[in-house]
Amino acid sequence: MERTWSMERGTWLLLCLALATMIAHAFTGAGFGFHGDELQFMDDARHLAWGYVAYPPMTPFFARLSLDLFGSSIAGFRFFASLAQALAIILTGLMAREMGGGVRAQVLAGAAQVPYALGAGALMIYNSFDNICWILAAWFVVKLLRSGDARWWAAVGAAVGFGMMAKYAMAFFAAALVAGFLMTDARRYLASRWLWAGCAAALLIWAPNLVWEARHHFVSFDFLLSIHARDVGLGRTRSFLPDQIYQTIAPLWVAGLVFCLKTVSGKRFRTVGWMYVFVFAALLMAQGRGYYLTAGYPMLYAAGSVWWEQRVASMASNPGRQRRSWRIAWVVVAAAAVIAAVVALPIGPPRSLLWKLREPELRDEIGWEDLVATVARVRDSIPPGDRERLAVLTTSYAVAGAVDLYGDRYGLPPAISRINSYGERGYGDPPPETVIAIGFPREFLESRFASCRPAEQIRNRYGIVNRSYLQVVFVCRGLNEGWPKFWDELPRFG
């Protein structure tokens, strides 16, 4: 009975942690506006498909569900991302239980996941759903290792399949999973027929997207190569190693790695440690960005929490030291959660002190309605006779998404762009004759249109520099060599 109550108490405390993050998101979710990336997911959600140029279909699916349930409410749009991260907290704590952890270890593991949950649940982006799929797969692996029941392979495969529907980075995790089993005594599970059942489940779940990719000449992989080359060129991958320290609770995951790879009590979970080592090495060699690995830490937070609980338990002869040790642990995870809340949640008005601390993360949530109002003024400056075949053309999916979201109130036409999945929808038939162009160099436009004039400059009421701020809006007419040739000259990925 004691064990049953302990397990239930741990679960209830994890539920409380998860609920607290959802409440934080609910009260702050509508603080500013939609993020530029969210505008792309929202627009893709209106064109449901089994795949998109920039990502698999899971996030647009949940975006569509949010739109159907909550309309264009900002907090409502982010509900499923917040829910996914709440589940991530619970699963992280449950992994600690599977590894032998008591209530404190479970709560410590769940609390360690709170900082990332606050950030990833604050926006409707694919990291939120990719993250929960990695954690779910890791939880099933831990259950397999603890129980010795190879039937868990079917669940692991399903989680991997759903992960591939969220973000293709799941392929790194799947490869590391196999490598981790090969490196340990758990390799015997690779001979089980249930592994093939798991592979079949993964392929079956991923198949619709795989077919979509084949029909679209695997355009997403061209996109990923392009974006990766851009990130490397801009130096965005150079911080991969330091990111693993300051974007995580490093002492805890290091302890988890030691628990899995070195301790007797963690021997059964050696595979988990090697899984992390391999996915870390793969992303490092591939020159990935630092945040790509964040989904690999919950399993180590769980292991590290068990290690800490066992370590403190060994101090039984010194109760005072035990209490101090747990206080240190709680202070560390609480401080990390507070810092994450300050950085990720839209608390405080623009230009305030809190805003300045997190402006790089939040500035793309400002100014989209002002942008669309500017476009509407430019449209109103065009003679009525030139508006019949009018298009708003942009090089930015965020600008296109903003026009499509807020343009109806001004009677603007849908935006056109060749960027990402917008390019799949084309420029319309019949093609535009007058173009309101945003985000293009003046020289490019003047060399391709018979006439092109600057009309207005984009600003927002706060003077916040987002990705559209101070761009010039042009009005162009008379495309010189026709739309097919011009369309092929436009940037395709962004």
Side-chain angles (χ1 to χ4, degrees):
M1 181 66 69
E2 175 67 25
R3 177 174 171 78
T4 301
W5 164 241
S6 177
M7 292 173 65
E8 289 180 354
R9 186 156 60 101
T11 302
W12 278 109
L13 290 172
L14 290 171
L15 285 169
C16 289
L17 275 177
L19 183 60
T21 63
M22 293 194 71
I23 292 172
H25 289 141
F27 277 94
T28 63
F32 300 129
F34 290 104
H35 190 275
D37 290 347
E38 290 180 303
L39 293 171
Q40 178 179 213
F41 287 116
M42 180 181 292
D43 210 71
D44 284 340
R46 300 189 186 99
H47 303 84
L48 283 182
W50 284 113
Y52 301 88
V53 171
Y55 35 68
M58 182 179 288
T59 308
F61 168 79
F62 280 109
R64 176 60 174 269
L65 196 57
S66 298
L67 289 173
D68 289 344
L69 291 174
F70 308 112
S72 58
S73 160
I74 300 174
F77 187 71
R78 296 167 176 171
F79 171 78
F80 288 105
S82 177
L83 178 62
Q85 292 313 297
L87 293 174
I89 291 169
I90 295 169
L91 288 176
T92 303
L94 293 180
M95 267 195 283
R97 176 189 295 177
E98 294 291 337
M99 292 179 172
V103 173
R104 287 180 175 177
Q106 294 168 39
V107 176
L108 180 61
Q113 186 60 20
V114 166
Y116 185 79
L118 288 172
L123 297 175
M124 170 64 84
I125 52 177
Y126 51 54
N127 292 338
S128 302
F129 303 104
D130 166 65
N131 178 65
I132 188 63
C133 291
W134 281 48
I135 296 172
L136 193 61
W139 183 49
F140 291 140
V141 167
V142 168
K143 291 179 80 68
L144 188 160
L145 295 172
R146 184 193 63 79
S147 66
D149 187 347
R151 288 178 293 181
W152 283 108
W153 274 125
V156 173
V160 169
F162 282 116
M164 291 297 289
M165 295 292 269
K167 188 179 178 183
Y168 296 125
M170 173 56 80
F172 284 95
F173 182 86
L177 188 155
V178 174
F181 274 86
L182 286 172
M183 286 295 296
T184 65
D185 293 341
R187 69 177 66 89
R188 65 185 182 276
Y189 296 117
L190 297 175
S192 170
R193 68 180 185 277
W194 286 102
L195 172 61
W196 297 106
C199 292
L203 186 59
L204 183 64
I205 292 169
W206 184 37
N209 175 245
L210 187 59
V211 171
W212 184 93
E213 289 289 356
R215 289 177 175 174
H216 290 77
H217 310 290
F218 294 95
V219 64
S220 295
F221 298 97
D222 292 335
F223 167 85
L224 292 171
L225 289 173
S226 173
I227 296 302
H228 179 66
R230 179 206 66 183
D231 289 343
V232 172
L234 293 175
R236 293 177 177 175
T237 63
R238 294 174 189 167
S239 63
F240 181 85
L241 289 175
D243 283 348
Q244 309 317 311
I245 303 300
Y246 74 77
Q247 290 185 0
T248 66
I249 302 179
L252 191 60
W253 71 253
V254 170
L257 199 58
V258 170
F259 174 80
C260 291
L261 297 181
K262 293 294 184 181
T263 66
V264 174
S265 57
K267 182 179 180 180
R268 182 179 295 179
F269 305 106
R270 293 279 191 270
T271 298
V272 172
W274 283 111
M275 283 166 57
Y276 171 81
V277 170
F278 278 104
V279 76
F280 170 87
L283 289 171
L284 178 64
M285 290 187 292
Q287 294 184 283
R289 296 182 66 175
Y291 72 88
Y292 291 180
L293 189 54
T294 49
Y297 289 106
M299 60 187 183
L300 293 187
Y301 287 155
S305 298
V306 175
W307 179 89
W308 185 254
E309 185 179 60
Q310 292 177 354
R311 179 94 174 187
V312 175
S314 69
M315 307 171 188
S317 60
N318 191 339
R321 188 181 176 192
Q322 283 184 316
R323 288 192 294 271
R324 287 192 298 273
S325 297
W326 277 115
R327 286 172 187 162
I328 290 172
W330 301 130
V331 167
V332 168
V333 294
V338 170
I339 293 171
V342 169
V343 171
L345 300 181
I347 306 169
R351 298 297 186 186
S352 66
L353 175 61
L354 284 175
W355 167 268
K356 291 177 181 178
L357 290 174
R358 62 196 192 281
E359 182 172 352
E361 290 77 23
L362 298 179
R363 63 189 177 191
D364 259 4
E365 298 181 32
I366 296 293
W368 301 117
E369 294 184 65
D370 294 325
L371 179 149
V372 178
T374 301
V375 173
R377 287 197 300 272
V378 172
R379 186 274 316 275
D380 292 342
S381 73
I382 299 172
D386 292 340
R387 299 182 199 172
E388 292 182 5
R389 288 167 60 179
L390 173 72
V392 179
L393 174 68
T394 176
T395 59
S396 165
Y397 59 74
V399 172
V403 171
D404 287 352
L405 175 61
Y406 299 115
D408 281 350
R409 67 182 66 167
Y410 300 101
L412 291 172
I416 62 172
S417 177
R418 200 173 178 230
I419 289 292
N420 300 348
S421 290
Y422 285 93
E424 302 285 312
R425 297 162 204 154
Y427 46 80
D429 185 20
E433 291 182 346
T434 303
V435 169
I436 298 175
I438 308 169
F440 294 89
R442 181 170 185 168
E443 297 77 11
F444 175 84
L445 294 173
E446 289 180 339
S447 67
R448 285 158 177 81
F449 287 87
S451 68
C452 200
R453 66 173 176 86
E456 197 163 340
Q457 195 171 53
I458 297 172
R459 301 179 186 275
N460 58 64
R461 69 197 70 179
Y462 301 105
I464 299 296
V465 180
N466 68 7
R467 70 181 78 184
S468 67
Y469 189 71
L470 296 183
Q471 288 184 356
V472 177
V473 182
F474 293 90
V475 176
C476 303
R477 299 178 180 86
L479 191 59
N480 293 329
E481 298 186 53
W483 274 93
K485 184 177 186 301
F486 176 68
W487 196 251
D488 287 342
E489 293 175 337
L490 298 180
R492 188 182 183 192
F493 302 132

